[in-house]
Amino acid sequence: MEGGHHHQHHQQQQQQQQHHSMSSMEQGDSRVPQWSFQETKEFLVIRAELDQTFMETKRNKLLWEVISNKMKEKGYLRSSDQCKCKWKNLVTRYKGCETIEPESMRQQFPFYNELQAIFSARMQRMLWLEAEGGPTSSGMRKKGSRLSSDDDDDNEESDEEKLVVKKKMRKGKGASTTGTSAGNADNSNLQHILEEFMRQQMQMEAQWRESVELREKERRMREMEWRQRMEDLEKERLLMDRSWREREEQRRMREEARAEKRDALITALLNKLRREDM
């Protein structure tokens, strides 16, 4: 009995060891941990801040190192290659959302708005640079093709990303320009562009809030007018009811007065007839 219990205990220990070793193997297989939702959100914030620099710099390897360090500051251990790979995957998924309905798209790809904001900002910068007399379309195309060439491995602004921005610009103004501002743009120019973009975003948000408040104010006014109209109608009904009651009362009083007068005349006539008979 004791020997059987010992054997069963030994089997349990073996099963636990096997389970532990299998877990270790599984962990060893998943060398790149899954990106959490919050980690991806933080990553996109950092990538959005550096997007202008990415578009102006030919060698992007160092920028991915910067992003990796910024992720470490936020408590996420990600190598530059992992960050670069994650960005490519996100861009590919964003492109795949073009043919999906908005409702299902946000379920399938919850970071659509973040990617859209990055590419919209990039498009606005391009349009702004053109308006300010920046590089011509042909120059930008030449630079774009140079940046996305196969022999330049350091630059990660792939053809996919350029197509995304190209489509957006075609939708916005019918132009077919790709690429970005000159690579030697100084930091003050970059700061000015970012400030201008933020100013436009804040202005658009303020206009949206203003329109929402205006619609709400109009709705409240319509509701107040409706309530006032209902109150006026109720007052009018009460006045008509009171007026009718008063008219009825006067009619009844006149009827009673006529009846009394008639009775008095009949009584007087009867008295007169009696006196004549006597």
Side-chain angles (χ1 to χ4, degrees):
M1 184 79 177
E2 216 173 284
H5 179 71
H6 178 72
H7 180 68
Q8 187 178 1
H9 180 68
H10 182 66
Q11 277 186 335
Q12 286 177 348
Q13 280 186 332
Q14 280 186 332
Q15 285 175 355
Q16 286 176 356
Q17 286 175 355
Q18 285 175 357
H19 178 72
H20 180 70
S21 62
M22 282 175 71
S23 299
S24 301
M25 283 175 67
E26 285 172 2
Q27 289 174 0
D29 288 341
S30 58
R31 281 165 292 187
V32 181
Q34 285 283 337
W35 287 67
S36 68
F37 180 83
Q38 187 59 36
E39 184 182 11
T40 307
K41 294 273 281 188
E42 298 277 10
F43 167 71
L44 285 171
V45 170
I46 296 168
R47 181 60 182 75
E49 288 172 355
L50 290 171
D51 189 65
Q52 171 75 13
T53 314
F54 266 91
M55 296 302 288
E56 291 181 344
T57 309
K58 184 179 178 184
R59 305 282 175 182
N60 286 342
K61 195 169 186 179
L62 184 61
L63 288 175
W64 287 114
E65 291 289 346
V66 171
I67 288 179
S68 175
N69 289 331
K70 282 182 176 287
M71 291 290 286
K72 282 173 189 170
E73 288 172 12
K74 293 181 180 291
Y76 303 108
L77 296 176
R78 293 292 178 181
S79 68
S80 59
D81 286 340
Q82 286 175 1
C83 293
K84 182 171 64 177
C85 185
K86 182 65 175 175
W87 172 250
K88 283 185 173 182
N89 290 340
L90 289 168
V91 172
T92 302
R93 289 187 66 188
Y94 173 73
K95 278 196 68 190
C97 289
E98 291 175 355
T99 57
I100 303 174
E101 291 295 323
E103 291 77 12
S104 57
M105 174 262 292
R106 281 179 175 78
Q107 290 177 352
Q108 292 182 32
F109 186 49
F111 306 105
Y112 180 86
N113 291 340
E114 285 82 352
L115 269 293
Q116 189 179 41
I118 291 172
F119 287 116
S120 296
R122 191 182 294 182
M123 181 184 72
Q124 285 193 12
R125 288 197 302 268
M126 291 180 188
L127 297 175
W128 184 83
L129 285 164
E130 281 189 44
E132 292 293 309
T136 59
S137 300
S138 59
M140 292 173 80
R141 271 198 297 272
K142 188 176 178 183
K143 182 176 175 63
S145 61
R146 177 171 58 80
L147 288 180
S148 60
S149 59
D150 294 332
D151 54 0
D152 186 6
D153 294 332
D154 288 337
N155 187 280
E156 299 305 330
E157 290 308 314
S158 64
D159 291 334
E160 285 184 5
E161 292 182 52
K162 297 195 185 303
L163 282 169
V164 169
V165 180
K166 189 192 287 186
K167 282 181 184 176
K168 277 181 167 289
M169 292 187 74
R170 269 207 298 268
K171 285 179 187 175
K173 54 172 274 185
S176 60
T177 57
T178 57
T180 62
S181 60
N184 61 351
D186 58 356
N187 288 332
S188 63
N189 187 36
L190 167 60
Q191 188 67 24
H192 178 71
I193 293 168
L194 291 175
E195 285 174 2
E196 176 65 18
F197 171 67
M198 289 304 296
R199 188 190 65 77
Q200 289 177 2
Q201 290 296 106
M202 288 172 71
Q203 187 179 358
M204 285 167 62
E205 187 174 346
Q207 288 174 350
W208 177 77
R209 288 184 183 278
E210 190 178 337
S211 66
V212 169
E213 287 172 6
L214 184 63
R215 285 198 299 272
E216 179 62 19
K217 188 177 178 182
E218 288 174 352
R219 187 193 66 78
R220 285 198 301 268
M221 287 292 291
R222 286 196 299 271
E223 187 176 344
M224 285 172 64
E225 286 173 2
W226 179 80
R227 288 180 183 277
Q228 188 63 45
R229 179 65 180 151
M230 291 298 104
E231 287 176 11
D232 291 344
L233 285 170
E234 181 63 16
K235 286 177 184 176
E236 191 176 341
R237 189 190 66 78
L238 288 170
L239 284 170
M240 288 174 67
D241 189 48
R242 189 182 304 159
S243 176
W244 176 81
R245 288 179 186 278
E246 287 173 357
R247 286 198 303 272
E248 278 295 299
E249 184 65 21
Q250 289 170 3
R251 186 190 63 76
R252 187 180 62 77
M253 288 171 69
R254 286 196 301 270
E255 187 66 31
E256 285 179 358
R258 281 197 295 269
E260 286 176 5
K261 193 174 181 181
R262 188 170 60 246
D263 289 347
L265 286 170
I266 292 170
T267 303
L269 184 62
L270 287 171
N271 289 337
K272 185 182 178 185
L273 288 173
R274 282 200 196 97
R275 282 198 298 273
E276 287 177 356
D277 288 345
M278 289 170 68

